[in-house]
Amino acid sequence: MSAKYHFSSLVLIAICSLQSAPLWAKESAVVVTPVKYEVTLDDKLPAVREMLISALEARNYAVINQLNVQEGLASRGIEAHPLELVEFCNLTKAYTITRHVPDFEMFAPCRFALFETDGKTTVMVQRPAHVLSILAKNPKLSKEGKSSLEEFDHDLKAMLTELASGDF
């Protein structure tokens, strides 16, 4: 085997081993900041909303309200891109927090913001970890309440990760 052939084979093997997905596969990644989770998908808003609602209900979150902001603005003569809010809550988790720290009610119910631009839908949600960073200064926040916020944060990231990977 020539050195040139051997080197080319090694380069090809190295490239293939670094590649985590086929070149034709597109992955939407969840953007994580201290304040929010965000993901952009190639699907239209109604399809994304329905998948998101299914994911919430599967994890025992109640959908409290759905607000079509675009329609509301249109009724006032304002043209806007597709924009919807989906408000949700897990009453059990919320209670473990609010029974000691009623200030949590300022953040409830939680909401996903969905907006469509150029045929792609972006989903954003405030991180419960951000809420925890604010409420953690309150000495009345119980260990159980803190744990609920951490679990809630994990749930939301998992839902958006599943949404991004098409695991619904």
Side-chain angles (χ1 to χ4, degrees):
M1 175 184 307
S2 74
K4 183 178 178 183
Y5 177 77
H6 181 68
F7 178 75
S8 296
S9 297
L10 288 175
V11 169
L12 183 59
I13 291 169
I15 289 170
C16 289
S17 67
L18 291 175
Q19 190 175 342
S20 61
L23 289 175
W24 60 87
K26 48 184 179 173
E27 272 188 49
S28 298
V30 176
V31 176
V32 179
T33 74
V35 176
K36 69 179 178 178
Y37 289 128
E38 178 179 324
V39 67
T40 300
L41 306 163
D42 288 333
D43 297 306
K44 299 281 187 184
L45 193 148
V48 173
R49 180 190 62 239
E50 293 310 311
M51 289 186 289
L52 202 51
I53 289 171
S54 292
L56 286 165
E57 291 171 346
R59 286 180 169 84
N60 200 28
Y61 289 91
V63 174
I64 307 298
N65 188 31
Q66 296 178 53
L67 176 63
N68 187 322
V69 177
Q70 181 187 28
E71 282 181 7
L73 290 172
S75 72
R76 291 165 176 80
I78 301 169
E79 188 177 320
H81 63 277
L83 171 61
E84 294 187 26
L85 302 175
V86 176
E87 296 178 322
F88 62 97
C89 185
N90 179 303
L91 294 173
T92 305
K93 287 179 184 175
Y95 178 71
T96 63
I97 302 162
T98 59
R99 76 172 172 206
H100 298 293
V101 183
D103 292 355
F104 178 71
E105 292 301 333
M106 292 184 299
F107 302 100
C110 302
R111 74 194 46 82
F112 281 108
L114 296 86
F115 60 92
E116 185 180 312
T117 307
D118 299 326
K120 295 183 179 199
T121 301
T122 298
V123 180
M124 295 184 294
V125 65
Q126 180 181 21
R127 290 187 62 189
H130 180 245
V131 175
L132 177 58
S133 73
I134 295 166
L135 296 180
K137 298 169 185 151
N138 187 325
K140 294 181 181 177
L141 180 62
S142 68
K143 191 174 191 173
E144 182 185 30
K146 180 181 180 210
S147 177
S148 287
L149 280 167
E150 290 168 346
E151 190 178 308
F152 184 26
D153 194 79
H154 176 75
D155 279 356
L156 293 180
K157 184 176 184 192
M159 275 187 262
L160 289 183
T161 299
E162 289 170 10
L163 189 67
S165 65
D167 285 346
F168 287 120

